[in-house]
Amino acid sequence: MQYTELTRKELQREYTRMTQRYSSYMREPMELDMRAEDPLLGRCENRRAAKHFGTVLGKELSDTGAARPTPAEDAVAALCTMPGCANRTVELCRRAGVLFDAVDHSTVLARIIPFDAKSEQLTHAASLFAISARLAALESLRGTLLRT
């Protein structure tokens, strides 16, 4: 379902559902820094981990229109969010303990996968990444609907 095609009532229902999912991440915060802090930007020795991260992202975002995976040379994973939603996406992730980079108003990057990250941590981080992007998009759309 494309978020831009939802009625006000459907939008509120989806927002409530995403808020509940996000709250579960807040109850179990994780400390994971996916920003690059070394000179080898976007490096990930474990290609399988990077693919797993991308697969979870794609599954969580399929057909919502909130964000889409996009290629980036200096990142393991990148999201192109709805315009103006990147910083809010990064803020929601940060509050739940996972750090990403916002490059501009619509691009968020996971620059590096820590070498000691476990599969369940990557699943958690990718799901949080996607849910945060969805929540930011819903907040933006709700704000637009309330102004009209």
Side-chain angles (χ1 to χ4, degrees), residues 10-35:
E10 291 168 331
L11 194 66
Q12 184 59 43
R13 206 173 301 134
E14 180 69 1
Y15 179 76
T16 300
R17 192 172 75 82
M18 285 297 109
T19 302
Q20 290 170 346
R21 285 187 67 192
Y22 179 75
S23 294
S24 71
Y25 288 100
M26 292 299 290
R27 283 191 293 273
E28 300 174 23
M30 174 196 315
E31 295 298 318
L32 190 62
D33 190 347
M34 298 188 78
R35 300 170 301 171

Side-chain angles (χ1 to χ4, degrees), residues 30-76:
M30 174 196 315
E31 295 298 318
L32 190 62
D33 190 347
M34 298 188 78
R35 300 170 301 171
E37 293 184 5
D38 64 37
L40 303 173
L41 296 179
R43 293 287 315 261
C44 177
E45 297 301 323
N46 188 343
R47 290 284 162 220
R48 188 171 162 197
K51 185 175 181 180
H52 174 71
F53 190 84
T55 300
V56 173
L57 266 181
K59 180 181 171 188
E60 287 281 351
L61 293 169
S62 65
D63 300 330
T64 63
R68 67 184 188 293
T70 188
E73 287 183 24
D74 62 345
V76 173

Side-chain angles (χ1 to χ4, degrees), residues 79-101:
L79 282 183
C80 180
T81 66
M82 289 179 66
C85 293
N87 288 327
R88 179 65 177 149
T89 299
V90 168
E91 174 63 21
L92 289 167
C93 289
R94 185 194 59 76
R95 288 179 50 204
V98 182
L99 304 176
F100 295 102
D101 282 333

